[in-house]
Amino acid sequence: MTESRARPPVEIGLNAAVVAISGRSPSILAIGGEGAHKRDALPFGPFDPHQHRTFETSLRASVEAQTALKLGYIEQLYTFGDRGRQKAPDEAGTHMVSVGYLALTRTDAEANERLAEAGAAWRDWYAYLPWEDWRQGRPAVIDQLILPALKQWSSEAANADRATPMPTPRTRIRLAFGLDDFPWDEERVLERYELLYEAGLAEEAVTDGWARAGQPSPGIAMRHDHRRILATAMARLRGKIKYRPVIFELMAPEFTLTELQATVEAISGRHLHKQNFRRLVEGAELVEPTGSSTSATGGRPAALFRFRRRIFEERPAPGLKVGMR
């Protein structure tokens, strides 16, 4: 008869990857670092079923209490419950299972003042995952740091276990980073982060005890597994904009086509050809002119557009299919 062991209590927490566009750059809402590592964290709060009926209402209330920010669009990402994610000594005490969410909002000066008072701030999401930003071409960090370290790790892994099931580490690297005949896939964000974590190139792997200190660590580390949640949110949003008009949740009610292109580029991490993008927008029939223009760009007056909401009545999956393979 096997000896029974008391199961540790489990608590459900809610994390939000809150995304906005600030100065044509993609920003993530971060709570200031605490403790020994002083790392940024995503807004987080425990789910209390006595106080809130659903996860979503609980998350909205928690984020507003922590950051004074009211969320707009929100969707559930994934449940993160791996043992060790909170790094409790000997896994003692309550085990935290977190439900991750993607949330989209807009920034304004008044909201930013409230965020600062609450100890939160907007951070460039590419500061955490710098290899994902291809707007100015292939990031140098990939060839200078990441690929040499990953190739060394894959060789060591192959020598350590020649019976490794497919796909091998080398194949995973080729797929994730678009090597040889494989194209760069902007949606493989989580796969790339997971590779860096397994290879010990993410500082969180050192903190979790899976890698030795002294390894190169591109990007800013976050508390617990929050950078993994961020990578999941980035991948979801990059895929989502291709078949749902969620990009307009990040836009002002009226905008120029240049501003729309800059926002799509910011999220996808891709540079888009201006004329091709405009043909894509016209073909998708997602926007309509307002009849007004703006001189805020400093050059010739630019026409203003708005999201054409009738698109929902015309087809089920409207989006901007940028970077389709």
Side-chain angles (χ1 to χ4, degrees), residues 8-15 44-47 55 76 78-86 91 93-101 225-226 229:
V10 174
E11 183 175 337
I12 297 175
L14 306 170
N15 278 100
F44 169 83
F47 173 63
F55 285 175
Q76 191 175 125
Y78 189 75
T79 300
F80 301 83
D82 291 358
R83 185 165 56 89
R85 61 182 304 269
Q86 296 296 114
E91 300 300 328
T94 301
H95 178 69
M96 181 64 70
V97 173
S98 182
V99 181
Y101 281 83
D225 56 358
H226 290 196
I229 299 174

Side-chain angles (χ1 to χ4, degrees), residues 77 80 86 120 151 194 211 247 255 288 312:
L77 285 172
F80 301 83
Q86 296 296 114
K151 288 175 181 177
E194 294 285 7
I247 197 71
F255 48 83
E288 60 187 6
F312 290 119

